[in-house]
Amino acid sequence: MINKIIKYSKNSIRLLIQSLENGNIIAVPTDTVYGLIANAYNEKAVDKIFKIKSRPKKLPLIIFVASIKDAKKIGFFTEYDELLAKAFWPGDLTLVVRRKNKKIFYGHKSFTTVGIRIPKHKALIDLIEKAKVPLASTSANFHKGKTPKNFNELNIISDKKISYVMKSNHKIEGVESTIVTLIHKKIEVLRPGSISRKMIKDEIKNLQMH
């Protein structure tokens, strides 16, 4: 297992990208918790995440992207979605929007919506930008298990389907991202996190006032 663990560097990023291109799963630190990621264009790779976690496919994964431009290739963004993306990205807000791209995988193929975010973690952003593909992501724990806030809580990495684990000194908050949707033209917080309903509401009010 020691061979799986690599420190963040330019060389390790190249190695991790190659691993993702080969359809492997890697564990990475994010700004919120430790996560598992796969190339979202590779259905077999994404399926591995569900198997590793024993997670039902009815529970979708989140898609990581490097920019709002990339996010708009995956989902349909309203004026309010774009406002929230500009206000809170990079950061711990996941926006659930209507799905545009049918070629990405993150759960049941029948899903019409998709959760997207740009994480605020230097090593991870570097990886996403250089990989040049959207990455399907979820916390690196077994389904219903404890969410890993640090490297020492990564019990899941003994699974042979996980090829590498990246370590970095960049901060992890230890709280999962706030998941919100405005699809029904009202603020729906699907999972609470550090970005509150009030913060979201205040941003939307500012737009409505202008």
Side-chain angles (χ1 to χ4, degrees):
M1 179 156 84
I2 296 297
N3 295 337
K4 283 186 177 187
I5 301 162
I6 55 177
K7 288 185 178 178
Y8 166 61
S9 69
K10 285 183 180 178
N11 287 337
S12 65
I13 290 292
R14 280 195 286 268
L15 191 63
L16 294 172
I17 289 168
Q18 190 175 27
S19 191
L20 289 169
E21 286 171 350
N22 290 337
N24 295 320
I25 307 306
I26 59 177
V28 295
T30 78
D31 47 338
T32 54
V33 296
Y34 253 89
L36 298 178
I37 58 172
N39 181 343
Y41 285 126
N42 187 326
E43 185 176 7
K44 285 182 181 177
V46 174
D47 280 348
K48 283 181 193 174
I49 290 183
F50 286 97
K51 285 171 185 166
I52 290 167
K53 285 184 59 114
S54 300
R55 179 186 176 100
K57 277 199 171 179
K58 66 180 180 182
L59 299 174
L61 307 184
I62 288 168
I63 302 295
F64 282 158
V65 293
S67 67
I68 294 175
K69 184 181 175 184
D70 288 344
K72 287 166 130 182
K73 291 174 186 173
I74 291 166
F76 293 99
F77 276 60
T78 65
E79 186 181 19
Y80 293 113
D81 293 322
E82 191 161 354
L83 171 86
L84 293 180
K86 286 176 179 174
F88 297 110
W89 286 357
D92 45 358
L93 181 76
T94 297
L95 279 170
V96 175
V97 296
R98 295 199 187 279
R99 180 181 184 176
K100 182 189 287 185
N101 187 331
K102 304 291 183 187
K103 293 178 181 176
I104 57 166
F105 300 95
Y106 53 93
H108 275 318
K109 292 179 185 176
S110 59
F111 285 140
T112 57
T113 60
V114 59
I116 310 171
R117 89 177 178 99
I118 302 174
K120 191 178 184 179
H121 186 280
K122 188 179 184 303
L124 181 55
I125 277 288
D126 191 16
L127 177 67
I128 299 166
E129 286 175 347
K130 288 183 175 139
K132 296 181 179 175
V133 291
L135 300 175
S137 165
T138 179
S139 55
N141 57 285
F142 298 107
H143 183 52
K144 293 187 177 177
K146 185 181 177 183
T147 304
K149 298 174 185 177
N150 59 59
F151 181 80
N152 296 328
E153 295 176 353
L154 277 178
N155 302 323
I156 204 167
I157 63 173
S158 58
D159 194 294
K160 289 177 183 176
K161 295 184 204 70
I162 298 171
S163 61
Y164 289 109
V165 183
M166 178 168 69
K167 283 186 84 172
S168 90
N169 296 322
H170 302 100
K171 187 183 173 188
I172 297 176
E173 288 181 11
V175 180
E176 291 177 298
S177 65
T178 302
I179 300 180
V180 69
T181 184
L182 299 169
I183 284 172
H184 302 297
K185 297 187 178 172
K186 64 177 182 178
I187 299 166
E188 291 182 67
V189 177
L190 307 178
R191 181 178 73 192
S194 60
I195 293 173
S196 67
R197 176 188 286 272
K198 184 182 183 304
M199 290 163 74
I200 294 163
K201 208 170 180 179
D202 287 348
E203 286 298 330
I204 288 171
K205 267 186 190 171
N206 288 339
L207 179 67
Q208 289 170 337
M209 285 167 66
H210 287 88

